[in-house]
Amino acid sequence: LADSFRIPNPDLQPESAEALELVFSHNTSRQWRWLATAYRSRLDNLILYATNTETPVSDFIDGGFIKKTDHNVNLGQSVAYGLELSTRYRHVTSAYSCDLWANYGLTDGHLQSPKGREPLPYTAEQKLKLGATWRWPSGLFISPALYVIGQSRVPSSASDGSRPVTVPSYHLLNLYGGYERILPGVDVFLRVENVTSDKYYHAGGSSKKSLVQLPQMLRTVTLGFELAF
């Protein structure tokens, strides 16, 4: 006996995607590179959430009884378009080398479903990423990175009217470093993610029973070795 059970949908169609991308790259010098990307994508036959079957397939399991059955269906279409700007600069001396990089992304679009038209889910409208890597002849290197991610959201199907569908913006500081050839054939590295141990969230599922805001890890430290043999 079961109150609800999800069954296969033999009429389910595959999702399809079309994308157009225009890339412009320019090196202002041997050390400095600029890159701009404009894009537009369209997804059809999206499988967004499950709906009840017109008639419950109560005998789907031999010898059992199911009160309500549902299945996945093709329900939507999404359109996304945006612009990404990035740059990288390299400075090399006899004492050290330094790489600096930055990336900015702007994304917009919409999701169309039987429940109406709404802003594009699972995507932050604005993203800024900054990073650097310093290397020394001794084998020591360090690479910090800062991510500033704007507000995102989940589909309106995840809300029952009493909870928001938005996920707050956040910033994330990561640090990666190590020592190459600390011993013959041995590299060591240290990775610290979310250095400031701030609470932040990613967009969750599309169901009213799922989490809208998925909590992410606080400060995480990983120490590792690489052996060459």
Side-chain angles (χ1 to χ4, degrees):
L1 302 177
D3 288 332
S4 179
F5 195 82
R6 181 164 299 177
I7 64 175
N9 180 3
D11 298 323
L12 196 66
Q13 298 297 311
E15 297 180 341
S16 62
E18 295 179 353
L20 176 66
E21 185 176 86
L22 179 64
V23 180
F24 174 77
S25 178
H26 180 59
N27 294 338
T28 55
S29 67
R30 295 182 61 184
Q31 292 79 29
W32 209 321
R33 181 185 183 190
W34 296 84
L35 187 69
T37 304
Y39 62 89
R40 184 184 187 276
S41 67
R42 171 176 167 173
L43 303 176
D44 292 302
N45 288 333
L46 290 180
I47 304 169
L48 299 177
Y49 44 84
T51 61
N52 294 334
T53 57
E54 293 185 6
T55 302
V57 188
S58 58
D59 58 348
F60 180 77
I61 298 177
D62 292 339
F65 174 79
I66 304 172
K67 183 178 180 181
K68 181 180 67 175
T69 53
D70 63 24
H71 58 187
N72 287 325
V73 292
N74 300 107
L75 287 173
Q77 176 195 85
S78 73
V79 174
Y81 47 88
L83 177 68
E84 285 192 3
L85 303 173
S86 62
T87 183
R88 180 179 294 272
Y89 176 78
R90 165 165 285 192
H91 179 68
V92 179
T93 70
S94 59
Y96 69 93
S97 68
C98 177
D99 286 283
L100 305 176
W101 59 268
N103 177 274
Y104 172 75
L106 178 64
T107 303
D108 201 355
H110 66 269
L111 172 68
Q112 187 74 41
S113 74
K115 297 188 177 183
R117 178 168 170 156
E118 58 184 292
L120 194 68
Y122 305 119
T123 302
E125 182 178 350
Q126 299 190 66
K127 298 179 181 180
L128 175 64
K129 302 177 182 180
L130 305 171
T133 301
W134 285 272
R135 292 182 178 274
W136 288 268
S138 64
L140 180 66
F141 68 91
I142 184 171
S143 182
L146 175 65
Y147 297 166
V148 181
I149 309 299
Q151 177 179 278
S152 59
R153 54 179 285 129
V154 297
S156 58
S157 56
S159 176
D160 58 4
S162 63
R163 59 178 183 169
V165 294
T166 57
V167 180
S169 60
Y170 65 90
H171 63 272
L172 183 65
L173 178 62
N174 296 333
L175 183 63
Y176 181 67
Y179 207 114
E180 297 174 336
R181 302 178 304 279
I182 191 172
L183 293 172
V186 180
D187 298 343
V188 61
F189 67 88
L190 176 69
R191 180 182 292 111
V192 184
E193 298 177 90
N194 194 3
V195 173
T196 56
S197 202
D198 290 336
K199 290 184 178 180
Y200 71 102
Y201 304 87
H202 286 172
S206 60
S207 166
K208 295 178 181 180
K209 299 179 181 180
S210 62
L211 289 175
V212 171
Q213 301 177 358
L214 294 176
Q216 301 300 299
M217 296 288 288
L218 298 178
R219 184 186 301 114
T220 305
V221 181
T222 304
L223 178 63
F225 299 88
E226 293 184 359
L227 305 177
F229 57 90

